[in-house]
Amino acid sequence: MKAIEQQFLKLVEEQLERVERIKANSEVTDYSIKEQIIIGYCAGDGIGPIIMNVTINILNKLLVNEIQSGKIVLKEIDGLTIENRLAKNISIPENVLAEIKSCDVLLKGPTTTPSGGSEKNIESANVALRRELDLYANVRPIALSLEGIDWMFFRENTEGAYILGSQGIDISNDLSLDFRVITTPGTKRIAQAAFKYAKENSKKRVSIVTKSNILKKTDGRFLATCLDVAKDYPDIKVDEYFIDIMTAKLLDESERSKFEVFILPNLYGDIITDEAAQIQGGIGTAGSANIGDKYAMFEAVHGSAPRLLELGLGEYANPSSLIKASEIMLRHIGLVEHANKLSHILENANEKIKVTGSKENSKCSDIEKYILNKL
């Protein structure tokens, strides 16, 4: 029991140190004044190399002038594969992390994470990258114009149920404990990002989603901190929802179009943005941004889909989610006109071409050909 107490104390001390680092951080990247922006890209696992190849081909054509002038550099980063990570028994090999940190932003393909109980208990590469780069805001747009849906989700990305997900404790053969972390400065910055977005984009409603009636300490702190930030934005309507009710509300066709901006802790945000993506047209249609003050990472919402490769269906994978992520990335670094152009073409492509991972429908390359032709 003494060893367990020491392990728990170590976790607490690490989180207290992390809180102080958040408070002390003041480094913010301003892309508008950078003479050169380096975009790193990691293909990842499973279908990752397939959809990344399509996305990079599109970016090379879309950004041809910026690449030729040296304003934009596309830099391939190898080594973020499940084979390499397992061989080194680490979520992100040190040389790979160093390469990523040498870039301004990262475009990342899906990576595989071993399930609990497997021989090698390495942490999710996503979770590790979000922590190492301090990417505290997971930002996911969902739009369905026919229904008037225009949602923006701000999921806290570095705390909650995931931050210590690989550091739980086995008390005995019959009892295991995992830990959940919510901090005031960590919550404050995600709330500020959400309200700032709402104000700058003329949004009138922000919904805070928790389970604070049950998780009174952690979710209670999250809710109270968000409400405190809301006081600085009196013109924005703020409401509170429990996560179980919100999952139902997103399915309520009579009411869901009234929602605009959401703020959620990590686990709830992960779940509900997948539900929202399915409403939009499927997981394969949604992109995701992971934003910090210094670094940013952009990725597909879905996983590495090893089953598609096992079935010999890799060429039928839908690249739209990663292409959408690249569009969000372009917007983030200030190339708004390029982003708008890609968004319009991608939307038309998905209306005309159905890629579902099945031989009954179109191939990944059909989306690529359509977009390249339009560009």
Side-chain angles (χ1 to χ4, degrees):
M1 188 61 71
K2 187 67 175 178
I4 293 173
E5 291 175 359
Q6 291 176 343
Q7 183 177 350
F8 178 70
L9 181 60
K10 182 175 182 289
L11 294 176
V12 172
E13 290 173 344
E14 289 173 350
Q15 292 308 305
L16 288 172
E17 291 172 1
R18 177 178 163 273
V19 167
E20 295 306 314
R21 289 197 302 272
I22 294 174
K23 290 180 179 179
N25 180 54
S26 60
E27 188 173 7
V28 179
T29 298
D30 184 351
Y31 297 98
S32 67
I33 63 174
K34 292 184 73 69
E35 293 183 2
Q36 184 178 78
I37 298 174
I38 301 176
I39 300 171
Y41 63 95
C42 300
D45 303 311
I47 63 171
I50 298 171
I51 62 175
M52 182 61 78
N53 183 61
V54 168
T55 305
I56 294 301
N57 287 344
I58 290 169
L59 288 177
N60 271 313
K61 187 161 187 178
L62 180 65
L63 304 176
V64 59
N65 292 332
E66 289 77 11
I67 292 171
Q68 288 179 355
S69 71
K71 172 67 176 179
I72 297 293
V73 174
L74 296 178
K75 178 181 179 180
E76 184 174 11
I77 300 172
D78 294 320
L80 198 66
T81 63
I82 186 62
E83 293 82 10
N84 190 41
R85 291 182 286 129
L86 284 177
K88 296 185 177 181
N89 197 27
I90 188 171
S91 299
I92 314 168
E94 291 184 6
N95 64 314
V96 176
L97 182 59
E99 286 287 295
I100 290 171
K101 286 185 173 181
S102 72
C103 302
D104 296 293
V105 295
L106 176 68
L107 183 63
K108 178 186 162 295
T111 46
T112 299
T113 303
S115 300
S118 60
E119 183 178 346
K120 297 259 182 128
N121 183 29
I122 62 170
E123 186 179 34
S124 157
N126 275 7
V127 172
L129 278 169
R130 289 164 184 165
R131 182 183 63 250
E132 292 291 340
L133 304 179
D134 200 21
L135 307 176
Y136 58 85
N138 184 255
V139 184
R140 297 188 181 185
I142 295 293
L144 196 59
S145 56
L146 292 178
E147 290 194 34
I149 289 174
D150 185 8
W151 297 331
M152 188 66 78
F153 293 86
F154 284 81
R155 164 192 170 192
E156 202 296 313
N157 219 12
T158 58
E159 299 189 349
Y162 289 4
I163 185 172
L164 298 177
S166 63
Q167 299 182 59
I169 297 175
D170 288 323
I171 306 298
S172 70
N173 290 334
D174 298 313
L175 175 63
S176 298
L177 293 180
D178 280 317
F179 303 104
R180 198 168 184 275
V181 177
I182 297 291
T183 71
T184 299
T187 303
K188 185 176 181 179
R189 60 186 184 176
I190 187 69
Q192 288 174 331
F195 278 101
K196 182 174 182 287
Y197 168 84
K199 181 179 179 180
E200 291 178 351
N201 291 272
S202 302
K203 303 299 182 183
K204 300 300 183 184
R205 183 179 185 182
V206 172
S207 303
I208 307 165
V209 184
T210 68
K211 193 64 176 172
S212 58
N213 59 329
I214 303 299
L215 299 170
K216 298 182 185 296
K217 296 299 182 184
T218 50
D219 276 19
R221 181 183 293 272
F222 189 93
L223 175 59
T225 304
C226 289
L227 290 175
D228 189 51
V229 171
K231 294 175 184 177
D232 295 330
Y233 298 87
D235 295 332
I236 296 176
K237 177 186 176 182
V238 179
D239 46 35
E240 310 162 24
Y241 279 88
F242 297 136
I243 179 60
D244 45 347
I245 297 301
M246 182 54 79
T247 58
K249 286 294 183 184
L250 293 192
L251 299 178
D252 184 349
E253 296 183 4
S254 66
E255 191 171 343
R256 63 189 185 185
S257 63
K258 299 174 185 176
F259 291 104
E260 293 184 318
V261 180
F262 305 79
I263 314 174
L264 314 92
N266 207 333
L267 175 60
Y268 309 150
D270 190 7
I271 294 169
I272 208 167
T273 52
D274 281 1
E275 179 192 18
Q278 190 63 34
I279 292 169
Q280 179 178 252
I283 297 296
T285 68
S288 173
N290 301 268
I291 308 296
D293 291 329
K294 183 177 181 181
Y295 298 105
M297 176 175 74
F298 304 84
E299 60 182 343
V301 167
H302 57 72
S304 58
R307 181 174 170 273
L308 281 183
L309 295 188
E310 292 170 4
L311 296 174
L313 297 174
E315 62 184 320
Y316 293 90
N318 192 335
S320 298
S321 184
L322 192 60
I323 298 170
K324 182 68 178 179
S326 73
E327 176 226 310
I328 301 169
M329 177 188 70
L330 294 175
R331 213 172 291 282
H332 181 73
I333 62 177
L335 299 179
V336 177
E337 290 185 7
H338 287 9
N340 289 340
K341 184 175 185 179
L342 181 57
S343 176
H344 177 70
I345 297 173
L346 178 61
E347 184 178 353
N348 287 338
N350 282 318
E351 288 177 357
K352 299 174 183 298
I353 303 169
K354 300 302 178 185
V355 181
T356 62
S358 167
K359 290 183 179 180
E360 297 176 358
N361 292 297
S362 300
K363 295 181 179 180
C364 178
S365 58
D366 295 324
I367 293 278
E368 176 185 13
K369 291 172 184 176
Y370 179 90
I371 294 175
L372 290 176
N373 181 58
K374 293 298 180 181
L375 289 175

